[in-house]
Amino acid sequence: MFKLSKTCSLLLAAILLGFLPSISSAQNVLNVVCKGGLIDDSVLHSLYRLSDDIQLGKMTLKLPNECMETFEIELNDKKRVVENPYVAALKMVSGKITISDFADRIKDPDGDLGAYTAVNRVSVDDPMVTYLRIGCGRNRKCVSAVLNSIDGFHPEKSPRFCDFAQHVDVSVIEYFKSSSFLPLPVYCMSRSALGGNRSIPAKDDWFMAFEKLGE
């Protein structure tokens, strides 16, 4: 379950307006995404399965009427309209928006993340992993292309995405040394839900853990 911090986790789950019971059907999941509800592990797993089914051609996306595609947040004492990233992700996997559009819709509203600490990056990047898993499914090229399309993303400073950078920032190394709380089963520096298989490239290890989300 997301525990949002730092300007509403920065993107998201400001859409978590209400609290609904566990979700089973695709339609109920879409109602949560479009009309407001708690995005917990049950909903995320259902969204991952829905994404996979759409990608495999088993389902087509049909959003409910009056779907909340944007919402308003207050950031640095200013009100700002941002995209609903879950809707953007479902549109992405359905081929209704481009990679550049998707990247623009899920990027952090603060813009350049270069000044963020590794701890603050986790609050931004944990949700980002879920958007990518829904929007790109198991398409590795899509994930890389989206991340490369986000200006000011600085993967070298992210404890979740540093495998996408040539060099890891020292702040990430220190984060892994000091943090015992790793809420998502995807880690950098050859560590992942698979236990860190050092016989394969770190990014491949990352992707295998990424693809296991929802299983």
Side-chain angles (χ1 to χ4, degrees), residues 73-98:
I73 64 171
E74 189 165 316
L75 183 65
N76 299 328
D77 297 325
K78 292 182 180 180
K79 289 185 177 180
R80 203 180 287 189
V81 175
V82 298
E83 300 284 342
N84 181 332
Y86 297 105
V87 172
L90 289 169
K91 285 190 169 185
M92 176 65 199
V93 77
S94 301
K96 297 180 183 296
I97 58 175
T98 65

Side-chain angles (χ1 to χ4, degrees), residues 1-4 12-24 28-47 68 86:
M1 180 186 301
F2 287 131
K3 294 182 179 179
L4 301 175
L12 281 35
I15 70 173
L16 314 186
L17 302 178
F19 293 87
L20 298 181
S22 296
I23 306 304
S24 55
N28 282 341
V29 170
L30 291 176
N31 284 335
V32 172
V33 167
C34 285
K35 300 180 185 301
L38 178 65
I39 308 295
D40 60 9
D41 288 342
S42 174
V43 174
L44 283 177
H45 278 68
S46 295
L47 285 169
M68 182 171 54
Y86 297 105

Side-chain angles (χ1 to χ4, degrees), residues 8 17-18 48 110 116 134 143-145 208:
C8 101
L17 302 178
Y48 298 148
D110 264 347
Y116 277 44
I134 298 165
V143 173
S144 296
M208 283 192 285

Side-chain angles (χ1 to χ4, degrees), residues 1-189:
M1 180 186 301
F2 287 131
K3 294 182 179 179
L4 301 175
S5 59
K6 189 165 175 47
T7 64
C8 101
S9 163
L10 287 180
L11 239 142
L12 281 35
I15 70 173
L16 314 186
L17 302 178
F19 293 87
L20 298 181
S22 296
I23 306 304
S24 55
S25 74
Q27 191 59 51
N28 282 341
V29 170
L30 291 176
N31 284 335
V32 172
V33 167
C34 285
K35 300 180 185 301
L38 178 65
I39 308 295
D40 60 9
D41 288 342
S42 174
V43 174
L44 283 177
H45 278 68
S46 295
L47 285 169
Y48 298 148
R49 290 194 297 271
L50 176 59
S51 169
D52 290 341
D53 286 344
I54 292 172
Q55 198 169 54
L56 292 171
K58 295 179 179 180
M59 290 190 67
T60 57
L61 177 65
K62 185 175 181 180
L63 295 172
N65 293 332
E66 300 180 0
C67 182
M68 182 171 54
E69 298 197 31
T70 63
F71 54 89
E72 191 175 80
I73 64 171
E74 189 165 316
L75 183 65
N76 299 328
D77 297 325
K78 292 182 180 180
K79 289 185 177 180
R80 203 180 287 189
V81 175
V82 298
E83 300 284 342
N84 181 332
Y86 297 105
V87 172
L90 289 169
K91 285 190 169 185
M92 176 65 199
V93 77
S94 301
K96 297 180 183 296
I97 58 175
T98 65
I99 282 177
S100 60
D101 287 338
F102 182 46
D104 189 59
R105 294 182 189 193
I106 65 172
K107 69 182 180 182
D108 189 86
D110 264 347
D112 195 309
L113 300 176
Y116 277 44
T117 66
V119 172
N120 285 337
R121 281 302 299 269
V122 169
S123 71
V124 174
D125 293 343
D126 276 356
M128 180 71 73
V129 171
T130 67
Y131 312 148
L132 290 168
R133 179 62 181 82
I134 298 165
C136 290
R138 302 172 193 270
N139 187 326
R140 298 185 178 192
K141 289 183 179 179
C142 171
V143 173
S144 296
V146 172
L147 293 178
N148 289 334
S149 297
I150 301 176
D151 292 334
F153 190 66
H154 296 283
E156 74 281 359
K157 295 188 175 184
S158 167
R160 297 295 179 261
F161 294 104
C162 56
D163 282 333
F164 290 83
Q166 289 186 333
H167 303 287
V168 179
D169 191 83
V170 65
S171 64
V172 174
I173 298 173
E174 293 303 315
Y175 172 86
F176 279 119
K177 287 181 180 179
S178 62
S179 178
S180 59
F181 178 62
L182 301 172
L184 198 73
V186 177
Y187 314 127
C188 298
M189 301 170 67

